[in-house]
Amino acid sequence: ASFTISLHKVDNTTVMIKLRPGVSPSCQIRIKNVIRSDLKIKPGENVTFTFTCSTPEKYFIMEIQKNIDCVSGPCPFGDVHLYPLGLPRLNRTYIWDVKASTKAGLELKFSTPWLRQIEPGEICPDSISYNINSCIDEATVNIGTFCRNGSVSRVKLLGGVVMSLHLPWHSFLTTSGFSIANRASIKRLCIIESTLKGESSITLMSPNYPLGFPEDELMTWQFVIPSNMRASVFFHNYSLSNCERKEERVEYYIPGSPSNPEVFKLSDSQPANIAGSFNMSLQGCDQDAQNPGILRLLFQVVVQPPQVDENVTHLVDLSKEKNMTVTIHWEGWPSHIPRMSEPVCLICKDPRTCDRVLTLTSGAVYRISFLCKDLSQLRITAEKGIGCMDIRWCQRKIYSLSVPKAVTRLPIRLYKFIWKLLATDMINVEITSPSLKLQQHVPEQRCNTSYSYSIVSATPETELNVGVFCPGGSIEKIQMRNNITISLKTFGKGFINESVPQDLKMSFVPHIKDECTFTVSPNPKAKVYLQTPNWPYGLPPYVSISWFIVVPSKQTARLGFSKDRMGIACETGRAYVNIKEENMGAEETVRREDELLPQPRNMHHSFWVNISNCKPVDKTQLTLQFWVTFADKQIDLGIILAVVAGAGVLAAIGLTVCCVKKKKKKTQNPMVGVYNANVNTQMPGKKGFFGKGRQNNESHVYAVIDDAVVYGHLLKESNGSVAPEVDVYRPFDGLTGSLPPSPPPFSFRKDIKRSSNTEEEPPPLMNTDQDTYTFAHQKSGQSKDNGDANEKDKGDTDDPLLENKEQDGLVE
């Protein structure tokens, strides 16, 4: 098909067709018999041409430029038309270059659906875009690039303007969508007007974004908003230049405000909850010529209806807290940045100071309110620091690690509460949970509570992730070295109800040997799983961890490991597993990394488990898990039977002895002997064996006296001689002295002290006497001297000393 383009000279319009950049010239332009790769048609020319291919839109683009001089002559104000008509269907750009005096202003007024500013490089959905450039003298400033369907209704500029409209080849747009009007000087670079009729959100940028705003320039955004709506401004991206004079700032003119204009730094929180229309201006400064820097700004304006509870304030009393911050933010902050189109939830410290993120610090009382339809989009993250630099001042102090009520009373879900515990090298941290206790989160024993604690021990060299714990377990105490971070993280909405019974406490303690020590007091009916920190990445090199397992006295614990080897190879040092009971003389079980771990075993007392790491070779990590169960102590059946049998045998022996003794008493008349202190019974050849006299030694005391034989009365011989001593003592009528009787055998004299005057220790005597003897004591009143004893012993022969004990069947 052939195309004819006829341009009137008065229109001052030029049409240029040229190849698209980077496209091979497979298609050409034919004018009569001439083949060309481009075509330029000037004002007043009439050209007919064809393309040598059927799809010229793939190869060519077209520019239509109209020059408008408003300096030397009148301007053609009004609607701007797309001229000329009948152009080929190519990607085309209409350019209107309007030259005007800086003493006057030009206004570009857009028809609905107005325009929406986009960032450089962004593509409009329908591929139709507008670009506005301001021309002052020789300088050109890019005001911005816009798509259709937005809020930008007018743009006022100082001096000339270059307006561009980019249309794709398939677009059927026949109107430019804007008009040009003459206005008085605006005394600034430009004014961009945005009209927002209802709930909406728009993004705008400073001229030349992301490059720098012109030096010492001023521009204004006008926002036309219904009075029953509320607007808030948020700066998302900005940078500042290096100023020599003046200061870069943002000024707000808010109708009804007593302090217009309100001046803010770009780093300040910008006004929020503004009722109705307002103006916002950006002011540059005189920049440093050597290092000017860049002033740029990308911001968002959110318009929303007033909330029903916008006047409802919530008291947050942090006046008694120390080293604490409370941040209210959107869900996913700070990693996730919500899209501009997402509904906005604002947190306000006062009616005009609102933001998507609000941080409250300790030592003050706040009254906050929310501009948000759905508070479930918001979260709370709090952080509290506790430090100890001198153990003398903080050793006995116990700190409660519970969420303050000032936080839990807010209608916002707590996401995380972080305690940072800081101490010097020789001070460690002890965490206790006296009543609830802690459960370690492991694959075999997962936490299902509404919150959990993540504990991390950190030094400048390494970081040890102790683990994740939740209430309702067996761990009473954890002692750790270095600086500790404890993060309480919530799951679901039940935490507020469960926050009351929190009992986690912390104290500072002197230096401990291991990096971490657990005290575990399990429920007797539970199976407890415990695993090494830094799971599953492995213990750091040379780290030692200990567990103290408390075993009740009436129970037995069973300890087992989840695998049979440590699974590492050491490059330097050795890795060990040590197990030892808290019992006198208990043996310690030790296993190295190249040995099998102990088989499941019973532990009858409280015991220690220690795991110490070496420096493993590459790609091997020390990760161990073990379990503990409890059972009531049971006595072995064999032991019970043995005890019962032994008791039966002893009972039988006792019964036999009693029967024999009773029979003996019935068939045998006891012989009664009376001790005669005047009889010399010293063995021949043993003179001087007793160095002491009768009254000064204990030779007359017998160690063993049997009740089976009783000495009878002393029987006298007619000739006065003494019969041999066979079973019974015979009467003695000879002279008596102070020498003691013969001593008992040495085997019964273990407690008798030997005399130091004995010249030669006699050999021990064999006990050949099969009968033992019982002596009757003299009754009270008898004289202990030799004369009295000789007179009274005849009348005192029937009162044996052990007579009563014999009847009871007792054997001494």
Side-chain angles (χ1 to χ4, degrees), residues 73-118:
C75 285
F77 297 127
D79 293 336
V80 176
H81 302 283
L82 298 182
Y83 174 85
L85 301 177
L87 297 175
R89 295 172 63 82
L90 304 175
N91 290 344
R92 55 200 181 275
T93 301
Y94 291 91
I95 302 173
W96 294 270
D97 186 352
V98 182
K99 291 180 171 52
S101 171
T102 56
K103 296 181 180 179
L106 291 176
E107 177 184 282
L108 304 178
K109 184 177 182 181
F110 301 95
S111 57
T112 55
W114 299 326
L115 302 182
R116 173 175 62 89
Q117 189 173 9
I118 60 173

